[in-house]
Structures are given as C-alpha cells and as structure tokens.
Amino acid sequence: MAEIIQRDGTWTFDGETLRLVPGHDKNVSLLRKALGELTVPLAALAGIAFEHGKKSGRLRLRLRDGSDPLLQATGGKLPDASDPYQLTVEPDRYGVAEYLVDEVRNAHLLEQVPTTPCDAYLLTGPSVPLSVSAGDGTASFDGETVRLEWNWKTEDAKTAAGTRSLALADVAAVEWHPAVGLENGHLRFTVRNAPTKAPPKYDPNAVELWGFKKDPLMALVAAAVQARLPHPAAPAEPAPKTLAGPPAEGSPAGAPQATADDHDALLRRLRELGELHQAGILTDEEFTTAKQAVLRRM
C-alpha cells in the first residue's frame, strides 16, 4: 500500500483503488469538502503524474473520458482549486509522491488498463439528496426530481412561472459552466421536447451564476443528475428482430409477425443494471423497475 498525507488531503492506493480524502486545511475548496471521500477504481484511470515546484508540488490524476459523471457534467471546466483529482504536496514529501506515482503506474501497467473512453460510469457521483444555493436560485435533487427555486435577485421572467420541478425522465442533458471574466456561468437543464435559446438569466430551467464562492457547488448537482442519465457513449439498444416464418393460421397475409430482442443484449443489460445498482447509481426502486422491463422483453 502507498499513502501520502498532506494538509491538502490524503491519497491512499491499495493496488486496486485510489482513496482520495480532502484535508481540513482552510485552503481546501468548498467543493472538495462537500464531495468528501472519493474511491477511484484503477480501471477509471488514464494516468497519474507528479509536478515539482519551488514551493510545492502537485499530484494529478487523469481519468478516462466518460468514467466520472462530475467531469462529464463540468466538461473539464473545474478550476484547479476545486479539482478533486489534484493534491498539493509539500517539498519534504516529494519522495513519497513519486513512490505513489510509481506504484499506481506499475499496477496500471500490470492490469493492462485501457486508456480509451468509457461507455459507462465507473464512479458513482455525489450522493443525494443535495441542495445548493448560488447565483439567482437554489437547485435541489433527490435522485428523481430536480427542483429550482428562485430568490429576490432572479429576473421576473423566471419567477413568474414559480418553482420548477423537473422529473429526471424529462431531463435530456445537464451542463455546468463557471463564470469567466465578465461572462456569467450557469447550471442548465435541457428538457426533452422543450428547446430554448434563452440565456440562463431568463431560462426557467437554468440557474445563473455570478462567480461567487459557492458557484462550484452547483457542479455537484449537475454531476448527481448526470450520473443518473444514460451515458453519452452507451451503446444503443438493439433493434428488435423479426422472427422469420409463415403467417400464423387465420392471420392476413402481410400482417406484422412476432418480434424478439437479441437475448445476449438483454442479458448484458441486466448485468449493467446490476452493476449500476451495486454502485449506488440506481436506487432500489429504479433498479427493480428497470429489471422488470428487461425481463418482460425477454
């Protein structure tokens, strides 16, 4: 086992997973503290590096594309201070950091972990329920419904419609952008069959962010929702196959015949659902409903 303990946090590697625990130092960001301990499986890693510096060094993890809902939702726009996959290292621990890097790289090589993009999330994302207030509103998510409530700074065009409740099934996508320079950021939900080109300031499905301290916490809401949406790179469901054969007796010629899904594909789907449930991404109710739907098709 390899471990490095710093004021910024503690990283531990047991040969299969990296355990990342944020520190209690005042310089540790709100997002890292709110996110808490992370367990990163070796299979989710694309690489690890240690950068030397005059006053301090920095450990960095590079995850495989599509492995983490937080990185998927934020699109790589998290500032360094809020990035949970970085650790500040003091000069007297440079040797320990280099040893950790060697251990992880050796295990990565021995296990022949691919660095290609993932088609399923390997990290579970933030736990729910959670609620964050920043910018012109409060975003809450309980695993099934997104709730957007407005404050006194919200434009009338948004407050006129009142509090927004979006069922997860109605959310097609979620995105988070930080405020950069004079440009405000946002947390926006794309609702199925309801396209809009309105800026976040007027969009009732978006919270506008102004670059204040709590803005990065909105990324946790985005990640929790992203973890429960279909993975962007997930293979499409196979089209049903028509069973060949003559029409059933008594049925008119040309009438639709019985269809059946590819059995192996459905079995793979059941395994995927089981893995998502075990990882905590699907609730017991969500898992049961999805499993029954697959079994009916079989």
Side-chain angles (χ1 to χ4, degrees), residues 33 57 72 105 116 125 129 160 185 202 283:
K33 290 179 178 178
Q72 185 74 35
R105 285 177 175 171
T116 53
Y202 304 107
T283 64

Side-chain angles (χ1 to χ4, degrees), residues 9 18 31 39 42 66 78 85 92 112 122 171 178 196 205 211 218 223 263:
L18 264 165
L31 183 143
T39 300
L42 190 63
L78 280 176
Y85 304 113
D92 61 345
Q112 297 183 337
L122 301 181
V171 177
T196 178
N205 299 318
M218 281 293 184
H263 196 342

Side-chain angles (χ1 to χ4, degrees), residues 19-162:
R19 181 170 166 260
L20 315 180
V21 181
H24 299 289
D25 189 74
K26 64 179 180 180
N27 293 323
V28 177
S29 71
L30 283 176
L31 183 143
R32 290 178 59 202
K33 290 179 178 178
L35 190 57
E37 179 181 326
L38 287 175
T39 300
V40 183
L42 190 63
L45 283 183
I48 182 173
F50 175 61
E51 303 165 356
H52 288 256
K54 292 182 178 179
K55 294 184 178 180
S56 64
R58 188 173 298 274
L59 276 168
R60 293 180 185 267
L61 292 183
R62 183 166 59 87
L63 271 60
R64 294 171 61 190
D65 290 343
S67 65
D68 179 26
L70 174 62
L71 298 184
Q72 185 74 35
T74 56
K77 297 181 179 66
L78 280 176
D80 285 352
S82 297
D83 188 344
Y85 304 113
Q86 297 188 31
L87 181 72
T88 300
V89 179
E90 297 165 15
D92 61 345
R93 290 293 182 270
Y94 281 8
V96 179
E98 291 170 347
Y99 173 72
L100 177 72
V101 169
D102 288 341
E103 289 293 294
V104 174
R105 285 177 175 171
N106 289 338
H108 197 271
L109 181 62
L110 288 173
E111 293 296 327
Q112 297 183 337
V113 178
T115 57
T116 53
C118 299
D119 58 8
Y121 294 121
L122 301 181
L123 283 86
T124 59
S127 58
V128 294
L130 55 83
S131 181
V132 176
S133 296
D136 67 352
T138 298
S140 306
F141 182 55
D142 61 5
E144 297 178 354
T145 303
V146 175
R147 184 179 175 87
L148 302 177
E149 301 174 83
W150 313 116
N151 57 38
W152 64 273
K153 295 168 283 188
T154 311
E155 287 291 325
D156 291 343
K158 290 167 72 168
T159 58

